[in-house]
Amino acid sequence: MQNADSGRAGLTAIGIFKLIKGLLLVVVGIGVIKLVHHDAVEVLSRWVGMVHVDPDNKYFQKVVTKLWSLDDRKLEEVGAGTFFYAGLFLTEGLGLVLRKTWAEYFTIIVTGSFIPVEVYLMTQHLTAARVVATLLNIAIVWYLVAHRLGERKRKAALGSPSAIN
């Protein structure tokens, strides 16, 4: 029984993590869409001033440099992509929190499909954030696969058929 409880806790933790990522992407998507038909650099400078970030910060300067190259169409595309990924994360997260078997498979497929891209990006430019994100996604996929295999073994031992929720 303790193993089942720890499995539920693990699924819930991953689900909450995915929900947080999804909600953050919704906020970013809204921010990107608000930049359409506005001077993106001016709006971003105002936002940075409100949160008291140093405008000479190298990260802020990188964002400003990238924003100068974006037109309204590109901002709309970035916003749409952000909402698409938010939808994926929110679907994964909600399904895992509700302990749906389909969500485990869905998360394994979606998260696992990003790992080769993350590894490739690390070969192009290695950063600590990319390493952590890749290792975290590998751990999530490993955990979910192990959980699914454990559930199948448990159900086989009890003689009950495996059903997808």
Side-chain angles (χ1 to χ4, degrees):
M1 191 62 141
Q2 173 131 5
N3 194 15
D5 289 341
S6 67
R8 286 189 201 111
L11 292 177
T12 301
I14 294 170
I16 290 170
F17 174 68
K18 295 284 187 170
L19 286 170
I20 291 169
K21 283 173 53 172
L23 292 173
L24 287 173
L25 282 177
V26 167
V27 170
V28 169
I30 291 169
V32 168
I33 296 300
K34 283 187 172 215
L35 293 175
V36 175
H37 305 303
H38 292 88
D39 180 4
V41 175
E42 178 188 324
V43 172
L44 184 64
S45 296
R46 206 170 339 120
W47 290 346
V48 165
M50 287 190 304
V51 294
H52 306 293
V53 172
D54 178 16
D56 294 325
N57 180 297
K58 71 177 183 177
Y59 300 110
F60 174 71
Q61 291 301 319
K62 281 183 181 181
V63 171
V64 167
T65 302
K66 288 188 187 222
L67 282 177
W68 266 358
S69 67
L70 298 179
D71 58 10
D72 284 349
R73 178 187 163 136
K74 193 65 172 173
L75 285 170
E76 289 169 348
E77 291 170 357
V78 169
T82 303
F83 286 123
F84 173 77
Y85 284 111
L88 284 177
F89 290 137
L90 292 171
T91 301
E92 290 173 324
L94 189 58
L96 291 171
V97 167
L98 295 175
R99 297 185 188 101
K100 299 295 183 182
T101 303
W102 62 260
E104 293 179 50
Y105 288 111
F106 184 66
T107 304
I108 289 167
I109 292 166
V110 171
T111 304
S113 70
F114 289 126
I115 292 171
V117 174
E118 292 169 348
V119 170
Y120 172 76
L121 290 173
M122 281 194 306
T123 65
Q124 300 304 303
H125 183 67
L126 187 65
T127 65
R130 284 186 177 160
V131 171
V132 169
T134 303
L135 291 175
L136 187 58
N137 283 335
I138 290 169
I140 287 170
V141 170
W142 175 83
Y143 178 86
L144 291 173
V145 168
H147 183 264
R148 276 288 92 224
L149 291 173
E151 283 295 305
R152 282 186 171 200
K153 285 180 185 176
R154 187 180 67 75
K155 286 181 181 182
L158 294 174
S160 66
S162 177
I164 296 181
N165 295 339

